Amino acid sequence: MERTDGYIVHEGCDHIFFVGFLGAGKSTLARNLGRLFRRQYVDTDRLAERIACKSVCEIFDQDGESAFRVAEVEALQRLRNKKSLLVSTGGGIVEHEESCRLMHEMGVVVFLDGDVEDSLRQIQHPEKRPDLGSPEEARELWEHRRPLYEREADYTIDIRGKTFEQVAAEAGQLLWEKGLL
């Protein structure tokens, strides 16, 4: 690891994967930290869509969730030859053991830990979230996934009651202090 212009230049595959429930702000956080720390940002949902040549909703509707999880694994595998990416993941990435293994193999996992009610308020286009369902189904899904996020997390950032700016500052500070940014 060497420093250039105040920024750390890493060797090898050292991605930072942001996990958490739907609407936790993973994409926005990764994109903004990428701009701030001059790191490239990618989104596994967008990569999976390119692989399948379909939107996430179309994959879920036409081929099922398992087909989406396969495309998600392939998206992660394609990141192996890259370095220093900030990676926003889909809310269900922790559902697939191979995805979890790949994330840990290629970097660190940061869990954005929030409440399901906050997530539901943040989601502007629920129709684009095929695994969301009704508010009751979303709560059940959150209760199912939260232990999976906790299990996979190398670092956890509590986002409850915080503004996006506060979460971004906390994440940036933590990752900088750990030598990851």
Side-chain angles (χ1 to χ4, degrees):
M1 179 166 49
E2 91 184 52
R3 290 186 181 266
T4 305
D5 296 331
Y7 294 91
I8 295 174
V9 177
H10 296 265
E11 297 297 323
C13 194
D14 63 337
H15 306 321
I16 299 170
F17 296 91
F18 294 98
V19 302
F21 199 63
L22 308 160
K26 303 176 296 285
S27 296
T28 304
L29 179 62
R31 184 174 43 253
N32 285 305
L33 288 178
R35 288 181 187 138
L36 182 62
F37 289 96
R38 300 181 189 170
R39 297 270 298 257
Q40 190 177 9
Y41 153 80
V42 296
D43 184 304
T44 58
D45 283 354
R46 301 301 72 80
L47 294 173
E49 286 177 331
R50 284 188 213 127
I51 288 164
C53 298
K54 299 176 183 180
S55 71
V56 172
C57 288
E58 289 171 332
I59 299 168
F60 268 75
D61 288 346
Q62 297 169 13
D63 308 315
E65 182 176 355
S66 62
F68 177 75
R69 299 293 167 219
V70 168
E72 204 169 46
V73 166
E74 186 175 336
L76 289 172
Q77 289 171 336
R78 290 183 181 188
L79 302 179
R80 275 192 170 135
N81 297 324
K82 310 278 185 193
K83 62 183 248 179
S84 301
L85 295 174
L86 297 172
V87 184
S88 172
T89 65
I93 201 160
V94 293
E95 298 273 358
H96 199 282
E97 189 176 309
E98 180 67 4
S99 292
C100 295
R101 187 189 68 72
L102 285 166
M103 288 189 296
H104 287 292
E105 177 184 298
M106 293 187 286
V108 298
V109 177
V110 177
F111 169 34
L112 302 183
D113 186 13
D115 291 326
V116 68
E117 288 76 18
D118 292 334
S119 289
L120 292 174
R121 277 193 298 276
Q122 293 300 320
I123 296 172
Q124 296 177 7
H125 297 285
E127 69 281 359
K128 293 183 179 180
R129 309 292 182 126
D131 53 348
L132 186 60
S134 69
E136 296 76 29
E137 291 168 322
R139 282 183 194 81
E140 288 175 17
L141 186 59
W142 181 83
E143 288 173 12
H144 165 72
R145 286 184 180 165
R146 189 162 189 272
L148 303 177
Y149 299 134
E150 289 174 329
R151 179 190 71 204
E152 298 305 326
D154 294 305
Y155 303 102
T156 299
I157 297 172
D158 187 344
I159 63 172
R160 291 184 233 345
K162 296 177 184 171
T163 65
F164 174 76
E165 291 77 16
Q166 290 170 317
V167 171
E170 186 177 335
Q173 181 177 353
L174 170 73
L175 296 170
W176 181 264
E177 288 173 358
K178 299 293 182 183
L180 299 168
L181 285 176

